[in-house]
Amino acid sequence: PIPNVTEIGDGRLFITGGYRSGSAMIRVEKKNNIYIVTELYKTQAFGTHVHPPILYKGHLYAQCTDNTGRRDGMLCMDLEGNVKWKTGQSPEFDKGGMILVDDLIISVDGVEGILYLIEPNPDSFKVLSKAKMLDTNQCWAPLALSDGKLLIRDQKQMKCVLVR
């Protein structure tokens, strides 16, 4: 699977995928009516299985766990391809959904069904709050938020949670 491409700005696009395909940053430019694509870098240190990374203040945040045994958890990487931190298996996150809301990341652990409120910070992984929301071990659906109501679901149930 290949998550949606993340637009970085200045013609740069970030492409990532699961199953150890890694990631790449490319630049697309138009010169004399010809499009030119330049690879800026590739990395195996960052690869998301289901959801696209979140771009926030010059850093990418994503869950980098897949079915090949990769268990990096959530990662933060700068736009030059340098990993700043990763959670590993504590928490593992494993393909859960995540969104950026009011300068905070809301993310669900795809294995544990725990909903996290995270401060995006390149210096360290900072959990502000967490709560067990779902009971199954496949919570991979995207999250949706509207008017303070968060929809979260797994293979068996869907919940609407007030977040304020």
Side-chain angles (χ1 to χ4, degrees):
I2 304 294
N4 292 338
V5 172
T6 302
E7 183 180 357
I8 303 299
D10 191 31
R12 294 173 298 166
L13 302 172
F14 187 76
I15 303 164
T16 186
Y19 298 101
R20 302 210 185 264
S21 57
S23 301
M25 178 85 72
I26 62 172
R27 175 173 279 128
V28 179
E29 301 173 282
K30 185 177 181 180
K31 293 183 182 178
N32 301 322
N33 289 327
I34 298 173
Y35 287 95
I36 299 169
V37 178
T38 306
E39 181 182 290
L40 302 176
Y41 68 83
K42 283 184 183 177
T43 180
Q44 286 295 317
F46 192 101
T48 64
H49 189 171
V50 179
H51 304 285
I54 291 173
L55 173 63
Y56 182 76
K57 294 186 177 181
H59 291 83
L60 294 164
Y61 297 85
Q63 298 179 4
C64 297
T65 297
D66 65 24
N67 294 344
T68 66
R70 180 182 193 134
R71 297 289 181 252
D72 289 336
M74 185 178 287
L75 267 74
C76 173
M77 184 175 76
D78 66 22
L79 298 181
E80 288 74 44
N82 302 303
V83 173
K84 303 309 244 175
W85 54 259
K86 57 184 170 180
T87 63
Q89 293 182 346
S90 183
E92 186 175 333
F93 285 104
D94 194 30
K95 302 180 277 294
M98 56 191 283
I99 56 174
L100 182 69
V101 178
D102 293 334
D103 298 319
L104 297 171
I105 294 173
I106 299 174
S107 182
V108 66
D109 184 315
V111 172
E112 300 291 330
I114 298 172
L115 187 67
Y116 287 86
L117 183 62
I118 300 163
E119 177 186 324
N121 185 319
D123 296 327
S124 65
F125 176 67
K126 294 190 176 187
V127 174
L128 301 177
S129 183
K130 65 182 182 176
K132 176 79 170 166
M133 301 301 298
L134 300 168
D135 295 326
T136 64
N137 63 358
Q138 288 188 339
C139 311
W140 302 348
L143 303 177
L145 180 72
S146 178
D147 195 29
K149 297 173 187 93
L150 179 73
L151 289 178
I152 179 173
R153 72 173 179 85
D154 60 17
Q155 302 294 332
K156 296 180 182 179
Q157 60 189 325
M158 179 183 289
K159 293 184 178 182
C160 181
V161 181
L162 289 174
V163 290
R164 301 209 187 256

